[in-house]
Amino acid sequence: MYRKLPFNRVSVVGLGYIGLPTAAVLAASGVNVVGVDISQRAVDAVNAGHVHIVEPGLEVLVQRAVRAGLLRAVEKPEEAEVYMIAVPTPFSHPPAEYSETHKNCPEPDLSYIRAAAESITPLLKTGDLVVLESTSPVGTTEQLSRWFAAIRSDLVFPHDAGDVPADINIAHCPERVLPGRVLEELIENDRIVGGLSPACSEAARAFYRRFVRGECIITDARTAELTKLTENAFRDTNIAFANEMALICDHLNIDVWELIRLANRHPRVNILNPGPGVGGHCIAVDPWFIVSSAPEQARLIHQARSVNDTRPAYVVEQIHRAASTFDNPVVACLGLAFKPDIDDLRESPAMEVTKQLASFGDVTLLAVEPNIDSLPPVLAARGVELCDLASALARADVVAILVDHSAFLHADAALFTDKAIIDTRGLIPRLNTDGGNPTDQGSRTSITDMV
Ligand code: SAJ
């Protein structure tokens, strides 16, 4: 049943890259928030007013919310009016005996969502709202409702409520914020709200309106699920196009950055940037959720994933070729994060390139990553050294630019001379500039300038 809730008590399950900022923003809007995480480290950090992830502005916001008594963290969920699930949905590789069509197609792993659901099931009461924010394959929100129903036969859940109002409202409202701009985008972005029934959608929209300034647009749960996957598959496919152009340009000995800059002067062309591959926990993962739901139909999306996934090995080959022209070569890898100015190394192509190079053991490897204090064990164990930029450039024969961190853009161009450079991010022509998008269209005279 849809109760006009004040939504004063919210439980956010999962205090990661999405859950923690959302919990902090909710608390800043005056809501009492209890964050739940199975990691004692995350819980302790939040209760001490600290954050365990790097995101601009987050620490200050969390600190204020904790001091104001509006945010605290626990390991086991407590009763609330709204439960927001923001746990990871990784993928796992299918067992070998899986059907031919699914071979090599990773499958979504819903075990975190299920565990989160089961942890809140005993607390559910009539009128509660459950929102699934985790990126999910089509049908997951309904599955969530079934998991609840299997344990709580005393309550009516929306997937089998028929004409009767459900006791619990359940909706999917996918997160769509960009790491690095999370706090701003959490408030300003439009939200897609897909309920399992119109009443569920209305309840969820009323909740999001408490802290979202963007539009909250209602649809059904399945469409909301596919919308999120489509956004990331669209970006992945467009990056794959740029990466394929980079391959073609290498083959034809043409500068891909100039090519894209020129093509982007066309008013209806906007090619993205090639790179060493696609990283992060979203764009490199979510398209697989579409492929796994519709393997016969999702041919382009599947192919784009393959194009992007083969980039790191190609870059390793280029670096190796350059290194083979030196005796006892020293290779500096600039950047390990999956994109500029963050500390997140998950699914990072720069990490993958460095790891693959390290596994050959035939070069001295220096890694420059200004956003971390120590190397991940997988690199440290293979003898990679974490260096600052100046000393890495002083020692290196080959420089592989894998991430265009701002710190690198401000480096002295002279330090790069006399090196073999593998510039996967088009950084060299941007040294000491404002670091804008390398394939930007540049300024054009607008009609308003002419009249
Ligand atoms: N990349 C390129 N070339 C480009 C753009 C990006 O190689 O032209 C690479 C980046 O270097 C990085 C990867 O793609 O390795 C992904 O970076 P990103 O900035 O495109 O996206 P994410 O993963 O940080 O965030 C995306 C966003 N989705 C879209 O832009 C459609 C964000 O809005 C989502 O909320 C987020 O995924 C998510 O959580 O799903």
Side-chain angles (χ1 to χ4, degrees):
M1 191 196 313
Y2 173 37
R3 166 173 97 196
K4 291 247 182 287
L5 284 170
F7 304 123
N8 277 333
R9 211 172 147 69
V10 176
S11 180
V12 177
V13 186
L15 292 176
Y17 282 79
I18 299 302
L20 183 55
T22 309
V25 166
L26 269 166
S29 77
V31 176
N32 260 299
V33 184
V34 176
V36 186
D37 204 290
I38 52 170
S39 152
Q40 177 76 51
R41 182 176 149 256
V43 167
D44 290 346
V46 172
N47 286 330
H50 298 309
V51 296
H52 54 290
I53 51 178
V54 173
E55 182 60 39
L58 183 60
E59 179 133 21
V60 176
L61 203 65
V62 168
Q63 230 164 50
R64 269 195 224 141
V66 171
R67 272 202 208 124
L70 287 168
L71 173 64
R72 66 196 168 81
V74 294
E75 279 177 81
K76 292 230 153 48
E78 295 176 7
E79 206 176 288
E81 293 164 343
V82 181
Y83 297 89
M84 177 183 279
I85 298 177
V87 295
T89 35
F91 59 58
S92 54
H93 286 274
E97 69 275 12
Y98 224 71
S99 79
E100 260 312 304
T101 47
H102 282 66
K103 250 186 203 147
N104 301 320
C105 168
E107 293 290 307
D109 171 2
L110 302 184
S111 59
Y112 294 87
I113 296 182
R114 185 168 192 167
E118 289 178 352
S119 74
I120 61 172
T121 313
L123 304 170
L124 293 177
K125 59 189 182 310
T126 301
D128 285 351
L129 168 67
V130 179
V131 190
L132 176 64
E133 281 228 4
S134 311
T135 303
S136 299
V138 174
T140 310
T141 313
E142 190 173 326
Q143 178 62 63
L144 184 66
S145 189
R146 290 182 199 282
W147 282 328
F148 289 140
I151 303 176
R152 293 293 302 271
S153 54
D154 56 318
L155 292 170
V156 177
F157 289 89
H159 72 277
D160 66 354
D163 295 336
V164 184
D167 291 325
I168 308 294
N169 289 307
I170 304 177
H172 181 52
C173 182
E175 62 83 10
R176 43 190 357 200
V177 290
L178 196 70
R181 291 171 42 91
V182 167
L183 295 181
E184 191 188 330
E185 293 205 359
L186 264 177
I187 295 169
E188 302 297 339
N189 285 3
D190 291 345
R191 298 301 295 253
I192 308 302
V193 182
L196 285 180
S197 69
C200 293
S201 300
E202 284 301 342
R205 176 157 69 178
F207 168 63
Y208 278 94
R209 276 189 173 154
R210 273 205 70 144
F211 65 100
V212 170
R213 272 204 291 262
E215 249 187 88
C216 296
I217 303 150
I218 281 181
T219 182
D220 60 80
R222 288 169 67 82
T223 308
E225 287 157 350
L226 190 58
T227 302
K228 164 65 194 228
L229 302 178
T230 302
E231 290 161 8
N232 281 353
F234 174 83
R235 192 151 170 87
D236 194 45
T237 309
N238 280 278
I239 298 169
F241 180 83
N243 281 335
E244 188 157 297
M245 287 317 304
L247 279 180
I248 293 166
C249 283
D250 281 353
H251 180 66
L252 299 177
N253 203 18
I254 287 170
D255 175 355
V256 69
W257 303 101
E258 188 188 359
L259 174 93
I260 296 178
R261 219 171 11 251
L262 296 175
N264 280 350
R265 302 298 296 198
H266 186 287
R268 285 173 297 283
V269 173
N270 187 12
I271 303 170
L272 295 181
N273 298 313
V278 169
H281 37 289
C282 311
I283 294 193
V285 175
D286 302 353
W288 288 123
F289 294 3
I290 299 182
V291 177
S292 108
S293 305
E296 296 295 339
Q297 293 75 17
R299 289 180 299 161
L300 178 63
I301 294 171
H302 193 156
Q303 192 60 30
R305 268 295 60 242
S306 309
V307 168
N308 289 335
D309 270 354
T310 50
R311 283 298 285 173
Y314 177 77
V315 173
V316 167
E317 217 179 277
Q318 286 182 310
I319 298 170
H320 235 188
R321 210 175 310 130
S324 67
T325 61
F326 295 89
D327 291 330
N328 305 317
V330 177
V331 176
C333 291
L334 305 196
L336 293 175
F338 85 85
K339 64 181 205 173
D341 302 330
I342 58 166
D343 69 333
D344 194 342
L345 310 184
R346 288 181 294 174
E347 310 281 336
S348 167
M351 267 294 290
E352 185 57 33
V353 167
T354 314
K355 228 166 42 186
Q356 285 188 24
L357 283 170
S359 70
F360 294 123
D362 55 355
V363 297
T364 300
L365 257 185
L366 313 175
V368 183
E369 179 42 77
N371 300 298
I372 59 170
D373 298 324
S374 59
L375 278 181
V378 63
L379 296 185
R382 289 174 182 173
V384 180
E385 276 177 62
L386 185 64
C387 278
D388 62 61
L389 181 63
S391 44
L393 290 179
R395 289 171 61 192
D397 301 305
V398 179
V399 177
I401 301 169
L402 304 175
V403 187
D404 41 352
H405 286 308
S406 326
F408 302 159
L409 285 160
H410 300 124
D412 181 357
L415 297 173
F416 289 85
T417 47
D418 300 333
K419 316 271 175 205
I421 309 261
I422 312 294
D423 185 2
T424 70
R425 298 287 186 177
L427 178 130
I428 293 293
R430 290 187 286 149
L431 282 175
N432 294 311
T433 65
D434 64 0
N437 184 328
T439 56
D440 262 351
Q441 301 187 10
S443 58
R444 291 227 184 94
T445 309
S446 74
I447 193 84
T448 42
D449 295 328
M450 287 157 44
V451 289

